[in-house]
Amino acid sequence: MAVTENDVLEEIRDQLEAIKVPGAREATPDNTWSDLDVDSLDLVELVKALEDRFEITISDDDLKPIESVGNAIELTLRLVEAEEGAPA
Amino acid sequence: MPVPEGGVALVTGGSRGIGKAIAERLAADGLTVVTLSRTSGDVQADVGDAESVAAAFAEVRAQHGPVLVLVNNAGESQDGLAIRMRTEQWESVIETNLNGAFHCIRQGLDDMLSARWGRIVNISSVVGERANPGQANYGAAKAGMLSLTRTIAREMGRKGITSNAVTPGVIETDMTVDVADKLKAGVPAGRIGQPEEVAHAVSFLCSDGAAYVNGATLAVDGGLGA
């Protein structure tokens, strides 16, 4: 089943909630990590959760330009698509 | 908060000497203890080899549960004056004592971060702070462990994970059996220490009461490093 933008957003909200970010449930794609007070270690946890949930691998290079919830959603969808398009 | 349900304590080099005493003490404290060593122990791994450590942690997780308490005790010494020390002697001791601690921490943190609870205790040495001629490799590795300990404390402090070090002095083990009498003279306590005395300190650092002790170095040396 195709992964939707909303699936990724919900996973990100769940993870933000787990790391006790205030207002995690109301996080939107426009929110930056700085808005949400998410630091580099929080981001490592978030990436790990996205990798496990969507069976993707996020490299350090992929991660560099990711500054917001929306960026993370786009990256995840792009990697999921690449993964599905790859020969089995 | 005690060790979360299902969490295990992994003691490297836990089949003899100080490691064995630590494993026994933590088991007596009520923890599920798994020992790791090169050839004996509950699981086997060469701690200096990252892949071997990853495989051992996978085995521990599958058979016992996540590693929420990690005691990095595995170590070796290959003494000799620096001017005569072979590259292999240097590398082997750094690999086992320092790289080994890092590889195990790297694995253990995955489990601890998920649980938002963890205890890391690195068994360094008095020579990590007070140099001993003939132990350039051992001393450098043990000093490196102290910095590693403090870095992890700062990185993970917010996540319910503590990282502390213990620096034993002269302790009665196979490693010191030939030199114990000679070494005893310099110890303010006037005697060498027992493995159980080191284990007692480790037990404290793994306990509920030590939740606010982070990045610390606890000397168990009869005053030798004072």
Side-chain angles (χ1 to χ4, degrees), chain B residues 8-12 32-36 43 57 60 67-72 104:
Chain B
V8 306
L10 182 73
V11 181
T12 70
T32 303
V33 178
V34 177
T35 58
L36 179 153
V43 284
F57 269 73
V60 172
V67 176
L68 302 185
V69 174
L70 170 65
V71 181
N72 281 311
C104 292

Side-chain angles (χ1 to χ4, degrees), chain A residues 15 18-20 39 41-42 44-45 48, chain B residues 109-111 113-114 116 155-156 158-159:
Chain A
Q15 190 58 33
I19 56 183
K20 300 188 170 65
D39 69 13
L41 181 55
D42 295 330
V44 168
E45 284 195 81
K48 197 163 153 256
Chain B
L109 282 178
D110 276 346
D111 292 357
L113 200 49
S114 296
R116 292 194 155 54
E155 287 185 356
M156 292 290 159
R158 224 154 46 71
K159 302 290 181 182

Side-chain angles (χ1 to χ4, degrees), chain B residues 37-57:
Chain B
S37 52
R38 203 169 294 197
T39 50
S40 51
D42 301 319
V43 284
Q44 285 83 46
D46 172 2
V47 292
D49 176 354
E51 283 180 20
S52 170
V53 169
F57 269 73

Side-chain angles (χ1 to χ4, degrees), chain B residues 2 10 12 17 33 65 71 76 88 90 102 131 134-135 154 168 175 183 192 203 212:
Chain B
L10 182 73
T12 70
V33 178
V71 181
E76 62 169 51
E88 304 85 71
W90 171 268
F102 170 73
Q135 294 197 304
R154 282 199 170 264
M175 246 165 135
L183 294 170
I192 60 173
S203 166
Y212 204 60

Side-chain angles (χ1 to χ4, degrees), chain A residues 54-69:
Chain A
F54 299 110
E55 297 177 350
I56 53 175
T57 303
I58 299 175
S59 70
D60 286 350
D61 283 345
D62 286 335
L63 203 55
K64 267 182 207 149
I66 304 302
E67 289 170 357
S68 69
V69 173

